[in-house]
Amino acid sequence: MNLSADEVKKIAYLARLGINDNDIDAYASELSNMLDLMTQMSDTNTDAIQPMAHPMDQTQRFRADIASEKNQRQNFQSIAPQIENGLYLVPKVLD
Amino acid sequence: MHNKTITDLAKGLRSQEFSSVELTQAYLKRIKKHTDLNCYITFTEEQALKSAQQADKQLSSGKTSLLTGIPIAQKDIFCTQDVKTTCGSKMLDTFIAPYNATVIEKFNLAGAVMLGKLNMDEFAMGSSNETSFYGAVKNPWQTDSVPGGSSGGSAVAVSARLAVAVTGTDTGGSIRQPASLCGITGLKPTYGRVSRYGMIAFASSLDQGGPMARSAEDAAILLQTMAGFDEKDSTSVDKDVPDYSTGLNNSIEGLKIGLPKEFFNEGLNNDIANTIETAVSEYKKLGAEVKEVSLPNMKLAIPAYYVIASAECSANLSRFDGVRFGYRCDNPADLNDLYIRSRGEAFGSEVKRRILMGTYALSAGYYDAYYIKAQKIRRLIADDFKQALSEVDILMGPVSPTTAFGIGEKTNDPIEMYLADIYTIAVNLAGLPAMSIPAGFVENKPVGLHVIGNYFTEDKLLNIAHKYQQVTNWHLQTPKGFE
């Protein structure tokens, strides 16, 4: 299976991941090789097999919907790249 | 002092042969002498000495654990409050964790002294420790070779005696493969045995933390502290933790060992195959019975693993957005530019490759063909192990098809690098516990014996490893220059 440069660009955008133009062909070829490896799976019939998400088939555990954490806003914001008045700063989204 | 077991060190501390401060200083001195190995990302000298002083006070007051005052080190994937936690990435180069991982809390409660944070492949993605933002780690057995990965810094710290014991994490072999390549004892517990809370996530359905130490006896002490249910980890399994040390000396007479024929295929180095056979014959002398078993879907483990691990990594790593923590690019033009450039500038190429792969596998139209298909294959692989482990008690084989390879030797071919984990990843897909035990040398490089057990039989694995370490001395070998 061959991924084109355009497909790599599209996937990178979906992942919001900057990649250098110079690297796109290398990624296309490496990802194509990985996909070739993965297509080996298609030779095995798995129609009657249930997908396995947890090794012990344990389902997601729930807890009661009550606050269990104390407010650590200041603590968490102290490691943010840019904050102002207790808010995370990002570039303007709406004009 | 640096060649003693945890039990001996604990005795020495209690008989006041030496203090925890003296022991910690001795290790700090060794670490500073051997910085060229690059196994530590961060030293926490000041903090270590403070904890050692506190440990000495505790030791004189009597309220202690076996780990009180013992200098250990942590893989830099575990969040440590007020200490830089990088996960081997530029993305977290300035990240000071605001809380402790459960594993770290448990070691703190036990009174262990943390010497520092250990180098690793970026976000644990790699089999050679070469993808770290902080540079490659050198294997002390041959310094132009890799230590394996992703817990490469961890394995080297133990092997070169730069920590008494350490933690690692294993998503596809990241404890066992470096343990094998560096000649130490490493244990990947059953999925859900050790809390993942505060352990930076790579592939959440596969990641599992575990101990890396010189011997099974030391590993048992570490696992005792690490294991247990944690309500903060939604996949943690609520099951009693047995005593991992009391059964170490149990007889293994009549133990049924299965050798999966797929582990001894054409890709395995001949000398490694011979080393494994010799180790197995040692078990026969101890009264074990050996038979061949089969894991027919083994060949599908690598493709299934790279779909599942990449898909989960692409989802987990979406949290790194340049907004709340971690790296942020300069002067973003708009919100998309902020995301794209922050992630593009701070992730290394292996991490990018896997995010791209995972995003593709999860994208519309491909989800069933890749992710669901891989999860179905995963069940087939787990069923193979179930079948094999119904015929025998444990499985044995090689950990890695080769010994430590040269630094730079495989960096240009990602798929060749992935094959370094060919014997380990199936175990993660099944969620089983497994160990690497030092079993000999090929051309002066260590070889690990892979021992795979049934779910929650870590005590049995440690017993099997300990019995072997009573009649062999591979685990006591020290690389030249680090004696």
Side-chain angles (χ1 to χ4, degrees):
Chain A
M1 183 154 177
N2 272 325
L3 276 188
S4 67
D6 279 347
E7 281 171 302
V8 171
K9 280 187 202 165
K10 190 182 146 206
I11 304 162
Y13 181 73
L14 284 174
R16 300 294 186 273
L17 184 65
I19 50 175
N20 289 332
D21 284 346
N22 299 337
D23 296 337
I24 290 178
D25 286 343
Y27 279 124
S29 129
E30 286 159 3
L31 292 176
S32 300
N33 289 341
M34 284 169 80
L35 287 170
D36 282 342
L37 185 74
M38 288 162 186
T39 48
Q40 289 174 11
M41 297 189 300
S42 53
D43 298 340
T44 302
N45 185 317
T46 52
D47 290 349
I49 310 293
Q50 280 296 312
M52 172 173 156
H54 187 290
M56 266 131 274
D57 284 324
Q58 187 173 289
T59 50
Q60 194 79 13
R61 189 162 31 79
F62 292 104
R63 61 170 175 81
D65 186 18
I66 43 169
S68 58
E69 284 274 329
K70 59 176 195 287
N71 189 351
Q72 298 197 61
R73 183 186 183 126
Q74 245 181 338
N75 190 17
F76 292 152
Q77 290 209 330
S78 68
I79 52 168
Q82 245 186 314
I83 50 154
E84 200 176 282
N85 300 326
L87 302 170
Y88 293 101
L89 280 195
V90 294
K92 201 158 75 172
V93 178
L94 297 172
D95 282 321
Chain B
M1 207 132 68
H2 56 269
N3 280 318
K4 287 187 183 317
T5 64
I6 294 176
T7 312
D8 285 342
L9 289 171
K11 272 184 206 151
L13 287 169
R14 279 156 187 80
S15 64
Q16 296 183 335
E17 194 186 319
F18 45 83
S19 67
S20 172
V21 169
E22 284 165 338
L23 181 62
T24 303
Q25 277 167 336
Y27 270 96
L28 288 169
K29 203 172 149 192
R30 280 183 71 80
I31 292 170
K32 284 179 191 162
K33 192 176 158 197
H34 296 294
T35 48
D36 55 321
L37 294 175
N38 198 27
C39 63
Y40 279 86
I41 291 175
T42 306
F43 305 124
T44 48
E45 179 167 5
E46 212 176 298
Q47 214 173 322
L49 288 169
K50 232 182 254 172
S51 334
Q53 280 165 1
Q54 212 173 344
D56 281 330
K57 268 187 216 153
Q58 279 175 336
L59 284 159
S60 56
S61 73
K63 267 182 83 182
T64 59
S65 84
L66 262 180
L67 285 173
T68 306
I70 304 289
I72 60 166
Q74 303 287 356
K75 184 174 182 180
D76 207 14
I77 198 168
F78 289 100
C79 285
T80 42
Q81 192 165 4
D82 301 330
V83 174
K84 192 164 94 157
T85 300
T86 70
C87 221
S89 181
K90 180 180 178 184
M91 180 59 85
L92 293 176
D93 185 43
T94 58
F95 177 66
I96 309 289
Y99 68 100
N100 277 329
T102 295
V103 163
I104 301 291
E105 282 290 324
K106 285 176 169 235
F107 279 115
N108 287 349
L109 270 176
V113 172
M114 184 176 83
L115 295 166
K117 306 291 295 286
L118 297 161
N119 206 340
M120 55 182 283
D121 278 300
E122 184 179 8
F123 286 104
M125 296 173 202
S127 308
S128 66
N129 215 119
E130 291 167 293
T131 71
S132 169
F133 175 62
Y134 302 92
V137 176
K138 293 175 180 171
N139 189 321
W141 290 98
Q142 200 161 313
T143 50
D144 60 356
S145 295
V146 303
S150 67
S151 312
S154 300
V156 170
V158 174
S159 174
R161 312 300 191 240
L162 304 181
V164 177
V166 303
T167 55
T169 61
D170 192 317
T171 302
S174 285
I175 286 178
R176 291 160 288 155
Q177 185 253 13
S180 172
L181 270 46
C182 291
I184 67 158
T185 305
L187 192 161
K188 173 225 172 280
T190 307
Y191 180 80
R193 180 77 293 185
V194 170
S195 170
R196 293 187 300 109
Y197 179 74
M199 192 177 104
I200 297 171
F202 156 19
S204 303
S205 78
L206 304 164
D207 297 342
Q208 184 60 204
M212 300 171 80
R214 290 200 288 270
S215 62
E217 189 190 335
D218 282 358
I221 296 170
L222 256 72
L223 183 62
Q224 199 71 52
T225 298
M226 298 173 80
F229 174 66
D230 181 11
E231 59 179 25
K232 289 176 177 166
D233 168 3
S234 67
T235 56
S236 171
V237 176
D238 193 357
K239 192 172 166 62
D240 287 344
V241 177
D243 189 310
Y244 292 119
S245 297
T246 49
L248 285 177
N249 273 310
N250 287 353
S251 162
I252 55 167
E253 179 109 35
L255 177 79
K256 288 193 194 121
I257 297 173
L259 302 180
K261 64 177 182 195
E262 294 78 7
F263 277 22
F264 297 87
N265 53 14
E266 67 277 12
L268 178 63
N269 170 299
N270 266 338
D271 295 327
I272 294 182
N274 292 337
T275 307
I276 301 305
E277 269 170 42
T278 309
V280 171
S281 59
E282 202 64 57
Y283 276 102
K284 281 190 201 157
K285 286 188 216 157
L286 290 169
E289 299 160 21
V290 179
K291 72 177 260 191
E292 187 181 272
V293 292
S294 178
L295 302 168
N297 291 294
M298 255 291 286
K299 62 181 187 303
L300 297 174
I302 286 202
Y305 173 85
Y306 278 97
V307 171
I308 293 171
S310 303
E312 293 184 10
C313 114
S314 74
N316 272 323
L317 269 59
S318 64
R319 72 188 49 152
F320 299 102
D321 56 4
V323 177
R324 292 156 304 151
F325 44 78
Y327 180 87
R328 180 188 184 111
C329 66
D330 288 333
N331 307 316
D334 55 33
L335 191 58
N336 254 332
D337 187 44
L338 167 68
Y339 295 146
I340 290 170
R341 277 205 291 125
S342 296
R343 292 161 61 77
E345 290 169 17
F347 286 138
S349 61
E350 180 60 27
V351 171
K352 284 185 183 169
R353 198 175 293 124
R354 298 207 199 184
I355 292 176
L356 291 171
M357 189 68 248
T359 305
Y360 180 78
L362 292 177
S363 61
Y366 297 106
Y367 181 75
D368 284 351
Y370 291 104
Y371 193 65
I372 295 296
K373 181 79 183 180
Q375 283 195 320
K376 289 180 169 188
I377 299 284
R378 183 176 186 178
R379 185 172 301 281
L380 292 178
I381 289 167
D383 287 347
D384 283 355
F385 276 107
K386 241 177 239 170
Q387 175 59 38
L389 286 166
S390 71
E391 297 168 33
V392 293
D393 300 318
I394 49 136
L395 307 174
M396 282 187 188
V399 172
S400 171
T402 64
T403 53
F405 45 90
I407 292 175
E409 197 180 301
K410 294 191 182 180
T411 39
N412 290 329
D413 187 348
I415 290 190
E416 205 193 325
M417 188 73 90
Y418 297 167
L419 295 176
D421 293 329
I422 191 156
Y423 306 124
T424 49
I425 57 175
V427 172
N428 297 75
L429 290 170
L432 293 163
M435 286 186 81
S436 176
I437 313 167
F441 290 83
V442 169
E443 288 165 1
N444 299 319
K445 293 183 191 177
V447 174
L449 170 71
H450 203 182
V451 188
I452 305 163
N454 221 328
Y455 297 106
F456 298 102
T457 57
E458 288 80 1
D459 49 350
K460 188 79 196 157
L461 287 179
L462 287 160
N463 165 221
I464 290 164
H466 181 70
K467 291 303 267 188
Y468 180 74
Q469 293 181 340
Q470 295 301 292
V471 294
T472 59
N473 64 4
W474 303 118
H475 65 295
L476 299 175
Q477 308 297 314
T478 315
K480 217 175 150 202
F482 299 92
E483 296 91 347

